Amino acid sequence: MGFITKLVAEKKTSAPLPDGLHPVSESDPTAKALGFHQDAKQTDFNLYPERKEPGSKNQFCIHCAQFTKIDENWGKCNIISSGLVSTKGWCSAWSQRT
């Protein structure tokens, strides 16, 4: 991970990363196409107005069927596989874990 990428990751995410792993960059082509943010509060509500609806209040990566938890703060996504996603993240591919 480059110095600038590391600074951006540290600014957006305060949780420590597991050793040797890095966060998904929000500029990653797949992440960008899905409107992904490490912090769901940063979602572009103009592009994803459904994210503001009351029924979506628990839509976070940690509750998504595509998410595999690594620790309390991070996990892997089956769709955005270029790094780790925050448990507090969101993207438009979110689907309820069953």
Side-chain angles (χ1 to χ4, degrees):
M1 174 166 41
F3 179 73
I4 298 299
T5 304
K6 187 173 182 177
L7 285 177
V8 170
E10 288 173 1
K11 182 179 178 189
K12 289 190 175 257
T13 56
S14 59
L17 288 159
D19 286 342
L21 299 174
H22 64 278
V24 167
S25 169
E26 292 176 2
S27 63
D28 171 88
T30 303
K32 196 169 187 170
L34 295 172
F36 173 74
H37 286 283
Q38 294 286 5
D39 179 353
K41 294 176 188 170
Q42 301 301 315
T43 301
D44 184 337
F45 296 118
N46 292 319
L47 291 176
Y48 304 101
E50 68 277 11
R51 184 67 180 97
K52 290 193 302 188
E53 295 175 10
S56 67
K57 69 178 182 173
N58 287 320
Q59 287 186 8
F60 297 99
C61 290
I62 195 165
H63 302 297
C64 181
Q66 302 301 324
F67 183 81
T68 303
K69 185 177 174 179
I70 290 180
D71 65 21
E72 294 304 311
N73 300 301
W74 300 100
K76 293 196 174 254
C77 175
N78 292 331
I79 298 172
I80 308 172
S81 58
S82 62
L84 298 182
V85 296
S86 168
T87 56
K88 298 175 184 175
W90 181 87
C91 84
S92 63
W94 187 91
S95 61
Q96 180 67 49
R97 181 184 303 272
T98 57

